[in-house]
């Protein structure tokens, strides 16, 4: 508690005139800061009682110190007041002298200002003159450079145009030579194509004749083959009819044989059944033991 009071008293304002309240040590860091709402208003600080402390140090033993903290009310120290100086009424001469001195000072200030303004205007005129000279020099040098560039550009353009004309002339000559050679080659190609077409027409006629001859031979061969196939077909048909007739006869014979076998089988079965019945009738009936 005493340490907190000492810290608060040390951290408070030392002027003892504003009387600003000091927050406690425990709540100084955690005190929330609120933003003012609307127009801030100035308030007079309230008078708050402060606690002043007095710390005395006394050496109790060798190597040890004892501190004594004394709590007391603050003592206000009044500010010293200035002594009232006697008022002195100036005379008319003093006032006139002061007015003259003020007028002289005003004139000297105006003269110095005018001199400074004249010096500035002189500097501005000198700077404008230098600037105009530099601008004229720049214009002249630029014009000379542009004229030289234009002359060189004209010379280069004329040389480029002459070179283009020479190239175009050479190109036209080459195109004309190429056109003549192409026309000659085209005529030769047309002639070769006509010759090929004539030879192809002759070959086509020959091929057509050969193909017609082959077709006639093929038709004759087909007629001969068709006649031979017709004869063989008739022979095969007659042979098939004979085979079918023979197969029908064999089938009838097999059916007769199968019927005969079935009758014999039935007869034997009937005899076996009759024999079993006769044996059953001849055997005496068995007696019960």
């Amino acid at each position: 508690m005493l340490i907190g009071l000492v810290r608060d008293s040390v951290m408070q304002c030392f002027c003892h005139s504003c009387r600003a309240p000091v927050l406690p040590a425990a709540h100084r860091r955690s005190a929330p800061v609120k933003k003012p709402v609307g127009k801030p208003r100035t308030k007079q600080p309230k008078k708050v009682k402060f606690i002043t402390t007095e710390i005395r140090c006394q050496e109790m033993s060798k190597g040890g110190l004892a501190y004594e903290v004394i709590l007391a009310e603050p003592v206000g120290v009044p500010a010293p007041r200035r002594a009232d100086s006697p008022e002195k009424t100036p005379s008319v001469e003093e006032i006139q002298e002061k007015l003259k001195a003020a007028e002289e000072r005003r004139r000297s200030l105006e003269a110095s200002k005018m001199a400074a303004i004249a010096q500035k205007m002189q500097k501005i005129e000198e700077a404008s003159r230098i600037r105009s000279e530099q601008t004229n020099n720049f214009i002249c040098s630029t014009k000379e450079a542009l004229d030289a560039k234009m002359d060189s550009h004209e010379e280069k353009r004329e040389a480029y145009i002459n070179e283009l004309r020479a190239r175009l002339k050479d190109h036209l000559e080459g195109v004309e030579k190429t056109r003549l050679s192409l026309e000659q080659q085209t005529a030769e190609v047309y002639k070769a194509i006509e010759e090929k077409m004539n030879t192809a027409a002759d070959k086509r006629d020959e091929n057509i004749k050969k193909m017609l001859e082959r077709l006639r031979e093929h038709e004759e061969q087909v007629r001969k083959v068709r006649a031979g196939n017709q004869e063989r077909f008739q022979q095969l048909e007659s042979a098939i009819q004979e085979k079918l007739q023979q197969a029908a006869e064999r089938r009838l014979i097999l059916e007769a044989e199968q019927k005969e076998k079935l009758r014999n089988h039935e007869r034997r079965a009937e005899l076996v059944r009759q024999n079993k019945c006769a044996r059953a009738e001849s055997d005496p009936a068995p007696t019960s033991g």
Side-chain angles (χ1 to χ4, degrees), residues 22 41 91 97 131 168 172 206 215 230 275:
V22 180
R41 297 179 180 179
S91 61
E97 290 178 359
R131 186 174 179 180
L168 185 61
L172 291 174
E206 291 177 0
L215 285 172
Q230 189 72 22
N275 290 330

Side-chain angles (χ1 to χ4, degrees), residues 136-289:
N136 294 327
N137 294 331
F138 177 74
I139 290 169
C140 294
S141 61
T142 306
K143 187 176 180 181
E144 291 176 358
L146 285 173
D147 293 337
K149 285 183 180 180
M150 289 295 292
D151 294 337
S152 63
H153 181 69
E154 288 289 336
E155 292 176 358
K156 289 179 181 179
R157 188 169 67 82
E158 290 293 333
Y160 181 69
I161 290 170
N162 294 328
E163 187 179 358
L164 282 178
R165 287 176 179 173
R167 288 182 182 178
L168 185 61
K169 186 178 180 181
D170 297 338
H171 179 68
L172 291 174
E173 290 177 356
V175 168
E176 187 66 21
K177 290 180 182 178
T178 306
R179 187 179 65 79
L180 293 174
S181 63
L182 285 174
E183 287 179 355
Q184 186 178 359
Q185 290 177 4
T186 305
E188 293 176 357
V189 169
Y190 281 158
K191 187 176 181 181
I193 288 170
E194 287 178 356
E195 291 176 358
K196 286 183 179 180
M197 288 179 69
N198 294 326
T199 55
D202 297 337
K203 289 181 180 180
R204 185 182 62 187
D205 295 337
E206 291 177 0
N207 290 328
I208 288 169
K209 291 178 180 179
K210 289 179 181 179
M211 288 176 68
L212 291 172
E213 188 68 25
R214 288 177 184 176
L215 285 172
R216 292 192 193 97
E217 292 176 358
H218 181 68
E219 287 178 356
E220 187 67 24
Q221 185 70 21
V222 167
R223 187 177 61 78
K224 291 179 180 179
V225 170
R226 187 178 295 169
N229 289 333
Q230 189 72 22
E231 186 178 356
R232 283 196 296 272
F233 180 73
Q234 291 177 358
Q235 291 176 1
L236 287 172
E237 189 174 2
S238 61
I240 288 167
Q241 291 292 334
E242 290 177 0
K243 286 182 180 180
L244 288 172
Q245 189 175 1
Q246 292 176 4
E249 292 176 356
R250 284 196 300 270
R251 185 180 62 186
L252 293 173
I253 294 168
L254 288 172
E255 287 179 356
E257 290 177 355
Q258 290 292 333
K259 288 179 180 179
E260 187 65 27
K261 287 181 181 179
L262 185 59
R263 291 192 193 100
N264 293 330
H265 181 69
E266 289 178 353
R267 289 172 185 174
R268 284 195 297 272
E270 185 67 26
L271 290 173
V272 170
R273 187 175 61 78
Q274 289 177 2
N275 290 330
K276 286 183 179 181
C277 289
R279 286 177 186 175
E281 290 177 356
S282 63
D283 288 339
T287 58
S288 59

